[in-house]
């Protein structure tokens, strides 16, 4: 995993064997997909919308997490993957949760993802 801060936002990149598996944008202006919402999830910390688009043997996944607290930034997770990469993508999204950056070096996150299992099963239905 790498983390870059080009301006007032952050970009995480998740790689396996040197290949990009998934990216995540943390900031106030995520680029929202034009697809229809495939799954909506809620928790006391945030709401999540999941978009899925399948084309030419690849799947495009977008997950947009909007915190209920204005002090938290939005998270836009996105990946374009093949069936062979589906399990890796599912493992990564299983841990998504809304965290609060309480100071420059401190981040507070819930111990478990409120949507982890649902996201994992949505991305990889064989895990049910």
């Amino acid at each position: 995993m790498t983390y870059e801060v080009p301006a007032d936002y952050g970009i995480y990149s998740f790689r396996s064997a040197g290949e990009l598996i998934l990216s995540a944008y943390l900031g106030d202006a995520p680029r929202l997909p034009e697809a229809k919402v495939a799954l909506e999830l809620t928790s006391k910390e945030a709401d999540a919308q999941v978009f899925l688009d399948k084309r030419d043997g690849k799947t495009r996944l977008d997950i947009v997490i909007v915190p209920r607290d204005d002090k938290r930034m939005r998270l836009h997770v996105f990946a374009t993957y093949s069936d062979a990469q589906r399990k890796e993508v599912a493992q990564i999204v299983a841990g998504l949760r809304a965290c609060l950056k309480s100071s420059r070096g401190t981040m507070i996150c819930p111990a478990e993802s409120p949507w982890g299992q649902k996201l994992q099963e949505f991305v990889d239905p064989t895990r049910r």
Side-chain angles (χ1 to χ4, degrees):
M1 182 181 83
T2 61
Y3 178 61
E4 299 174 41
V5 186
D8 60 346
Y9 59 93
I11 298 175
Y12 294 86
S13 299
F14 297 83
R15 297 180 182 278
S16 176
E19 188 174 347
L20 180 64
I21 301 297
L22 182 139
S23 297
Y25 163 90
L26 182 63
D28 292 322
R31 190 177 314 162
L32 300 177
E34 294 180 15
K36 192 168 34 168
V37 175
L39 178 66
E40 289 186 279
L41 302 167
T42 61
S43 75
K44 66 179 185 175
E45 291 89 16
D47 295 320
Q49 292 184 320
V50 183
F51 304 84
L52 201 63
D53 186 22
K54 295 183 180 191
R55 287 187 197 168
D56 303 324
K58 293 275 190 176
T59 300
R60 167 68 185 214
L61 172 72
D62 289 273
I63 303 171
V64 179
I65 298 174
V66 179
R68 294 182 187 274
D69 182 347
D70 290 343
K71 294 178 185 174
R72 299 181 190 190
M73 291 190 209
R74 293 178 182 189
L75 180 66
H76 179 191
V77 175
F78 50 98
T80 301
Y81 56 93
S82 66
D83 283 342
Q85 297 167 312
R86 183 178 59 227
K87 289 189 185 315
E88 289 178 290
V89 173
Q91 286 177 324
I92 295 169
V93 300
L96 288 178
R97 53 196 186 265
C99 299
L100 174 63
K101 188 172 183 179
S102 61
S103 67
R104 186 162 175 82
T106 306
M107 190 165 296
I108 300 170
C109 302
E112 293 183 23
S113 170
W115 321 297
Q117 184 174 350
K118 288 179 183 175
L119 285 171
Q120 189 172 29
E121 290 172 356
F122 181 79
V123 172
D124 185 9
T126 65
R127 301 215 30 111
R128 289 187 180 137

